Amino acid sequence: MSTTGHPFRQFIVKVHGRCNLACTYCYLYEGPDRTWRTRPAAAPPVVLDRTADRIAEHAHVHALTAISLVLHGGEPLLAGVSALGRFTDAVRTRVPADCAVQATVQTNATLLTEERLKGLARHGIRVGVSLDGGRPEHNARRIDHAGRPSWPAAFRGVRLLTDRFPESYAGLLTVVDPTLDPVETYDSLLELHPPAIDLLLPHGNWSAPPPHKSGVRYGDWLCAVFDRWWSAGRRETRIRLFEECLALLLGLPAATESLGLAPFDALVVETDGSIEQVDSLKSAYEGAARTGLDVFRHAFDEALRHPGVAARQAGAAALADGCRSCPLLSVCGGGHYAHRYRAGHGFRNPSVYCADLERFIRHAAGRLAADAVPAVASGEGGTP
């Protein structure tokens, strides 16, 4: 078994490198990195076949018992369900017999049809949907290349998913917009019956700040949704950011890119077979995610030795001095790596969302502490 770094357990495969939408806030196609322009629109079969081999090789070398396979883009459904199914089947066939493969396609939902959902279900591929709320006005930034709203098609796709294929529904991915009412946005998402919601802060950094970044607007937004979620009396849905924050506050292990000090365990394979770090780094500068490796010449263990990956697996040692001395270190973990960038200074900085994260973490800790005393007194326990 290799002793280099912590093995990758999440494999994000760009099956298609283009998108049928032109979201105005997209860091991938509207940001500083333009490497997508020189790559194939769709991953050729030879790239997917070699990628399946490399995933299986990594799983065998590290005796992995579970991996996450994320079929990504662009819009991955542009590659066709049959291509997604063949690739997923190839990975499952080649990994060790005791290695479970959780496969998910991350889509904008506009191309979802009953036939496509049947095909995805047949290959055991769950469906994650990117939407910024459950109303047309929440998704005003999610437009197609002609400037038309994507909401009508996306809503039809999500409804088909929830009504006909609920077992395939992985959840929603939502980019936080602090100009929208937080509780109203959250309630509208609940109407789409998601089993889980991922709340993402818009990618930005010290040199290219996120939109509407003043004070702790993002932190206040998260606190308002947290209170609504926490006070429901039952778990209406999972919100990974909140659950991971609570786990870390309780001293439990948790793994998320936005919080904590757990070693980074994801890598990306681009449509040309290039092995890269996660796409969020592309919001910093051109080539920030590049490793110089590819699936034809390099095993994934070689990516573990890349300085960027090593830094993201080094925990507190890779953080700024102020972060290492912060009392919230074990929970915050310095925040999302991409959000720490400052031109000329690299990534060894606090997150551009430092104040927002402090606001949210301290608020969640206060709610947890306030509710723990009566729960213990009454003999109850647990969190939503």
Side-chain angles (χ1 to χ4, degrees):
M1 178 181 296
S2 171
T3 58
T4 303
H6 299 267
F8 298 112
R9 289 183 169 84
Q10 182 179 176
F11 302 92
I12 303 166
V13 181
K14 296 294 195 70
V15 292
H16 206 284
R18 303 294 186 270
C19 190
N20 62 328
L21 298 187
C23 302
T24 59
Y25 62 87
C26 181
Y27 66 91
L28 186 57
Y29 300 111
E30 302 296 330
D33 192 290
R34 292 290 190 240
T35 53
W36 62 272
R37 295 178 180 270
T38 63
R39 291 184 167 130
V46 65
V47 167
L48 295 179
D49 185 67
R50 193 61 177 143
T51 300
D53 282 342
R54 290 300 189 190
I55 292 173
E57 175 185 55
H58 200 70
H60 280 282
V61 167
H62 295 278
L64 302 180
T65 58
I67 63 169
S68 172
L69 178 65
V70 183
L71 307 172
H72 217 278
E75 171 47 57
L77 290 180
L78 291 173
V81 170
S82 59
L84 306 186
R86 283 194 301 271
F87 173 61
T88 302
D89 291 347
V91 172
R92 288 197 171 113
T93 299
R94 299 176 197 182
V95 298
D98 62 346
C99 181
V101 178
Q102 181 183 36
T104 306
V105 60
Q106 189 65 37
T107 175
N108 58 42
T110 60
L111 301 179
L112 290 177
T113 63
E114 184 163 359
E115 182 180 359
R116 287 176 177 138
L117 284 167
K118 283 181 178 177
L120 293 170
R122 197 159 50 242
H123 291 284
I125 301 172
R126 302 183 73 207
V127 181
V129 174
S130 299
L131 278 177
D132 295 339
R135 301 277 186 275
E137 58 269 25
H138 298 152
N139 296 279
R141 299 172 297 170
R142 301 181 64 81
I143 56 177
D144 68 13
H145 291 276
R148 296 169 299 201
S150 66
W151 171 252
F155 182 69
R156 286 194 299 271
V158 174
R159 277 303 181 203
L160 186 61
L161 177 62
T162 58
D163 294 347
R164 299 293 304 278
F165 300 88
E167 69 286 348
S168 297
Y169 194 8
L172 297 174
L173 184 153
T174 296
V175 176
V176 172
D177 182 348
T179 67
L180 299 176
D181 181 270
V183 174
E184 192 272 338
T185 302
Y186 173 65
D187 285 341
S188 74
L189 290 170
L190 286 182
E191 294 173 9
L192 301 177
H193 309 294
I197 298 174
D198 265 345
L199 294 175
L200 303 183
L201 295 172
H203 290 313
N205 54 67
W206 293 104
S207 296
H212 316 296
K213 184 69 183 80
S214 60
V216 288
R217 295 185 69 181
Y218 288 92
D220 288 342
W221 197 98
L222 290 174
C223 289
V225 177
F226 181 88
D227 285 344
R228 165 66 181 83
W229 175 79
W230 178 264
S231 303
R234 60 187 179 88
R235 187 161 71 178
E236 296 170 305
T237 188
R238 297 188 61 189
I239 300 183
R240 185 170 65 144
L241 180 67
F242 296 171
E243 293 186 349
E244 301 294 345
C245 179
L246 292 171
L248 290 163
L249 286 167
L250 292 169
L252 302 173
T256 176
E257 226 183 336
S258 300
L259 294 175
L261 293 167
F264 173 74
D265 68 354
L267 93 168
V268 174
V269 177
E270 286 284 353
T271 58
D272 62 355
S274 297
I275 298 170
E276 294 205 338
Q277 300 180 72
V278 291
D279 277 351
S280 55
L281 292 179
K282 296 178 181 180
S283 64
Y285 59 89
E286 172 90 18
R290 187 180 295 128
T291 66
L293 309 175
D294 64 72
V295 295
F296 297 102
R297 298 175 298 157
H298 306 98
F300 289 153
D301 267 21
E302 294 188 57
L304 291 174
R305 293 189 283 271
H306 185 274
V309 174
R312 301 189 70 181
Q313 294 197 343
L319 298 181
D321 292 344
C323 292
R324 291 201 302 272
S325 61
C326 177
L328 300 181
L329 170 63
S330 62
V331 180
C332 173
H336 197 296
Y337 191 81
H339 301 165
R340 306 174 198 168
Y341 178 73
R342 187 190 295 271
H345 298 271
F347 294 90
R348 204 178 182 93
N349 309 287
S351 168
V352 72
Y353 289 108
C354 178
D356 298 279
L357 292 173
E358 180 177 3
R359 166 86 172 97
F360 165 63
I361 292 169
R362 290 191 182 280
H363 180 79
R367 292 301 306 269
L368 181 63
D371 287 4
V373 173
V376 171
S378 64
E380 299 174 358
T383 58

